[in-house]
Amino acid sequence: MTDRILILDFGSQVTQLIARRVRECGVYCEIRPFNIPPEEIASFAPKGIILSGGPASVHEDYSPKVSERIFNLHVPILGICYGEQLLCQQLGGKVEPSAHREFGRAVIDIAENCALFSGIWEKGSKQEVWMSHGDRVVALPPGFKAVATTASAPFAAIANESQNYYAVQFHPEVVHTKDGAKLLKNFVRNIAGCKGDWTMSAFRHSAIERVRNQVGNKKVLCAVSGGVDSSVVAALLHEAIGEQLICIFINNGLLREGEPEQVEKLFKDHFHIPLIHVDASMLFLNRLNGVKDPEHKRKIIGNTFIEVFEMEAKNAGGADFLAQGTLYPDVIESVSFTGGPSVTIKSHHNVGGLPAHMKMELVEPLRELFKDEVRVLGRELGMPADMVGRHPFPGPGLAIRIPGELSQEKIELLRRADAVYIDEIRKSGLYNDIWQAFAVLLPIRTVGVMGDARSYDYVCALRAVTSTDGMTADYYYFSHEFLSRVSNRITNEVKGINRVVYDITSKPPGTIEWE
């Protein structure tokens, strides 16, 4: 079995970054809610456990706790922020509210050498880290020692090296903590003893084996959109089960310009996989008529997708399984852990939008992967570079890039504006520098002057971000010359838009998509 690390989530908004850093070490990990049954932890067989940060205080009534039984597993444990405070409290230490809370950059003094700091930080040095806490540890549990301090946090990092228990008040998973990724690597590779042999080649073979075991000799219906995720799923499934795979492309009327033709060409000319093309655009648009709420849009689209797939599966002779390109960030953002502190950011149409009556069992071979890992898998499967590097496109399509009610007019306006924007990005050689770029049609009109006449048309917002996995993102720094050129083209070529703005919000506090 591949070595694995278990991350218990206490509600931190950056828990997923811990997983990213662990996987960058070549070690497989999963995020689970803090309150999963102890027997599930044991069956997961982790070589180490990481307790995440979180917004709670250990002094609050009903604050989240970890099962005492994890200490009987005799595996290394690393507590981060709230995880440090909880570890101390449950092992006999003492935590108090701090008179001087620390948020943001801080400097810690390395008081002792330890395995967690090996090869990175030495006793007597000062290191820059990222803090975010209101409580602090004031008394250590038996067997622990302080290995790093600050003026307001005397136990900024602690260690019980006989038990292989470590904890830090700061966040090593964020880029603001210098050498934080190396610290996490020390924990998973050196302290927990993980070999670091989790590769995409290994994942490919294990995923194929899992699909074959799950499906047997039955048929699988695969939803394809032409995007990276669904295309990788289709290629992986075709390798796993061959002619048992039925690929269906549904045009929901919410796709980008020229997309249906591109999808057909890709599957027939490159993959050589038969493709059923269904134009259900009017069905989707009729059901979305008058709907304003983005969550309601996602639910309608998810339900309609499944309904159409079930109908097409029947027409194709029946299928027992439905394959989807669900990714790990979809799961993290969509699912509030039962009884846990995490909150739903947004429902993804292929996670939160599935109807309870769905007749097919799901096959989700990418459910454990982040977006950048899916791209690596695509290359492993021999997919063309321009497909693997394609910007993400949401399953609900343009529906969530038109805040408020939809109409055919708005969809066409956005489709043309988006095509102009992406065309300029490609011409400028910037496409591969950007994680995701798209246009948004705002539900407001503004006064403009077109020629000698007054106009009263829509506003188009442009969005472009840089990211590694889509969990955090920063806006892309376009030149004013570029933005001016795009704005001129859109207002001149897309009749109905007279104003263009650029979104410079990072994630967090915003999300990448507008809805």
Side-chain angles (χ1 to χ4, degrees), residues 124-259:
S125 66
K126 294 181 180 292
Q127 304 297 333
E128 187 176 280
V129 299
W130 188 264
M131 292 280 197
S132 180
H133 68 97
D135 292 344
R136 64 173 185 166
V137 177
V138 295
L140 293 179
F144 279 82
K145 64 179 179 179
V147 292
T149 67
T150 70
S152 59
F155 304 113
I158 59 176
N160 181 334
E161 297 199 274
S162 64
Q163 296 287 336
N164 274 332
Y165 293 164
Y166 298 84
V168 294
Q169 186 61 75
F170 53 89
H171 287 270
E173 67 272 30
V174 302
V175 296
H176 308 82
T177 294
K178 185 180 178 182
D179 296 325
K182 294 179 181 178
L183 184 149
L184 286 170
K185 185 176 182 179
N186 268 348
F187 177 75
V188 301
R189 295 286 295 275
N190 300 335
I191 296 171
C194 295
K195 292 186 289 291
D197 58 356
W198 187 70
T199 65
M200 203 47 65
S201 176
F203 177 87
R204 172 187 178 180
H205 294 297
S206 64
I208 287 172
E209 183 179 353
R210 286 197 302 270
V211 168
R212 288 172 177 167
N213 290 336
Q214 180 184 5
V215 171
N217 60 0
K218 296 179 180 178
K219 291 183 179 179
V220 178
L221 194 66
C222 181
V224 300
S225 66
V228 178
D229 306 336
S230 65
S231 297
V232 170
V233 167
L236 183 70
L237 290 178
H238 192 251
E239 183 173 331
I241 59 176
E243 294 182 358
Q244 294 169 236
L245 176 65
I246 303 170
C247 287
I248 294 184
F249 168 59
I250 293 181
N251 182 354
N252 60 8
L254 300 164
L255 302 174
R256 291 167 289 194
E257 189 171 270
E259 201 149 30

Side-chain angles (χ1 to χ4, degrees), residues 447-460:
V447 174
V449 178
M450 309 291 281
D452 293 324
R454 174 187 183 273
S455 67
Y456 191 60
D457 292 326
Y458 287 103
V459 178
C460 173

Side-chain angles (χ1 to χ4, degrees), residues 347-372:
S347 294
H348 289 262
H349 81 284
N350 57 345
V351 180
L354 296 179
H357 69 273
M358 192 185 71
K359 299 180 179 68
M360 291 177 284
E361 183 180 338
L362 285 179
V363 177
E364 298 175 307
L366 309 184
R367 190 179 177 92
E368 302 164 354
L369 299 184
F370 289 90
K371 188 74 175 189
D372 56 315

